[in-house]
Amino acid sequence: MGYIPLNADRRKISLGRKRIKYTHLAEKLDNDILGSDDLVLLHQIQIDLPRTVVYREFLEHAEIRLAVQRVLFTRALRNPTSSYVQGMNELMVPFLIAFLAEFQAVPPLELDVSEITTSQFHVAEADSYWCFCKFLGVMQNHYTFGQPGIQESCFKVKELLKRADSELYEHLTNEGVDVLHFAFRWLNCLFLREFPAKCIPRLMVNHIFPVTRFQVKTFVKDTYLAEGDDLPHFIEHFCLVILLKWSAQFKEMTFQSIVSFIQNPPTKRWTVSEVRYFPQMH
């Protein structure tokens, strides 16, 4: 994702500089006098963190919670156009957990937070910040005022469905089910809330842990990051695939049943093998 140089000889120096730079940014915010708008923003982040679904259990640790808060707040103040919106918290947590788990060479869910040193926390937090910023840069207009990128993607999902399965499209329309009713959350959180925690590494990481530290930096979130600037396009087709998978069931449902199904999809009971198949279908 461009976080580290392809030239191995430059990686250590580059990583060191980025980690020091993030430390200075975070320390500066700690020492600055925050304005009223900044305090409102910080308060919103603090409210949202306990609501986070992705890797929720790890947020019970104060060190994890504070690291996520610092990254979200630092990025928001340095990127006022997109700032912070609900949903970013869901996208940020997996970066931090993946980098922390890498120190123990274990899958994210097997991370033992009590064994992580202060130095390792600082390194993982800094790496998470830069990767998170790079990742959101691909979808900048998804998080600007009014979230026009998501609005546009919802429209495209609707058009894709109309072409791929006109019967389902007409049925949803007749039942009063708008794509915006469900696709907004899918597009905002990139489906991370729709899958069990054990499946998130496969959705986000194209390599099975354990791997070396530089491999994780290259491939973290590779299922999404491999799409580069085409990520929004990929997610739109992912939405379509989800709808088509249960097309027959939807056509037999009424409004309330459709909405209930979409709010609690069977994906929450999926295994890694099922998630592995899905991103290849677009």
Side-chain angles (χ1 to χ4, degrees):
M1 63 183 298
Y3 175 52
I4 59 174
L6 294 178
N7 186 331
D9 294 335
R10 297 173 50 208
R11 288 176 182 170
K12 185 174 182 179
I13 295 175
S14 178
L15 284 172
R17 287 174 178 170
K18 286 182 177 291
R19 290 164 181 167
I20 291 172
K21 183 176 180 180
Y22 170 73
T23 299
H24 290 165
L25 291 174
E27 288 177 348
K28 184 176 184 302
L29 288 180
D30 286 340
N31 296 325
D32 282 352
I33 298 176
L34 300 177
S36 57
D37 290 343
D38 298 336
L39 292 173
V40 169
L41 174 62
L42 178 60
H43 181 61
Q44 184 60 58
I45 293 172
Q46 292 170 335
I47 290 175
D48 289 344
L49 285 181
R51 301 172 181 168
T52 304
V53 173
V54 178
Y55 293 145
R56 179 196 298 270
E57 64 274 24
F58 290 112
L59 288 171
E60 295 176 1
H61 297 272
E63 302 93 335
I64 300 285
R65 197 164 55 251
L66 289 173
V68 174
Q69 176 181 303
R70 275 192 298 269
V71 168
L72 291 173
F73 189 53
T74 302
R75 188 217 165 260
L77 293 187
R78 286 179 53 80
N79 295 269
T81 302
S82 55
S83 187
Y84 167 81
V85 298
Q86 291 175 314
M88 287 183 180
N89 50 312
E90 305 285 356
L91 302 178
M92 163 53 207
V93 174
F95 278 110
L96 181 62
I97 301 306
F99 284 127
L100 288 173
E102 193 186 349
F103 284 113
Q104 298 173 358
V106 297
L109 284 176
E110 295 180 17
L111 169 66
D112 184 351
V113 179
S114 66
E115 294 298 318
I116 296 294
T117 67
T118 300
S119 175
Q120 289 171 338
F121 262 114
H122 290 165
V123 168
E125 181 180 333
D127 292 345
S128 299
Y129 170 80
W130 293 113
C131 288
F132 182 60
C133 290
K134 293 277 288 186
F135 183 66
L136 288 190
V138 177
M139 306 178 296
Q140 182 77 6
N141 66 346
H142 274 219
Y143 303 105
T144 53
F145 180 75
Q147 298 183 266
I150 292 182
Q151 302 285 348
E152 180 182 355
S153 287
C154 283
F155 174 78
K156 290 181 179 178
V157 171
K158 187 183 297 186
E159 293 300 305
L160 287 169
L161 180 60
K162 189 186 298 185
R163 295 201 300 268
D165 192 337
S166 58
E167 289 186 8
L168 176 57
Y169 175 81
E170 290 177 7
H171 178 69
L172 293 178
T173 300
N174 292 335
E175 288 297 323
V177 178
D178 193 299
V179 169
L180 203 60
H181 288 157
F182 51 86
F184 192 92
R185 188 176 87 172
W186 290 353
L187 293 161
N188 193 47
C189 298
L190 304 185
F191 286 95
L192 296 187
R193 298 185 65 157
E194 317 309 320
F195 294 91
K198 63 183 178 182
C199 293
I200 289 175
R202 181 56 191 87
L203 188 64
M204 300 168 62
V205 184
N206 207 27
H207 279 247
I208 304 300
F209 289 92
V211 295
T212 69
R213 184 152 189 82
F214 285 138
Q215 283 178 308
V216 172
K217 290 200 176 302
T218 303
F219 295 113
V220 67
K221 265 195 175 179
D222 199 40
T223 301
Y224 285 157
L225 288 175
E227 300 296 325
D229 293 341
D230 290 330
L231 177 59
H233 175 73
F234 173 85
I235 296 297
E236 290 157 11
H237 282 75
F238 203 167
C239 290
L240 174 65
V241 170
I242 290 287
L243 291 171
L244 295 180
K245 178 173 177 61
W246 290 291
S247 175
Q249 292 96 313
F250 286 140
K251 291 172 185 176
E252 300 296 323
M253 296 179 183
T254 59
F255 174 85
Q256 192 57 53
S257 298
I258 295 171
V259 173
S260 297
F261 184 95
I262 289 174
Q263 289 177 340
N264 296 282
T267 52
K268 293 181 180 178
R269 298 188 294 273
W270 277 14
T271 63
V272 172
S273 61
E274 289 169 302
V275 174
R276 179 178 296 116
Y277 169 72
F278 245 61
Q280 302 171 12
M281 295 182 62
H282 81 295

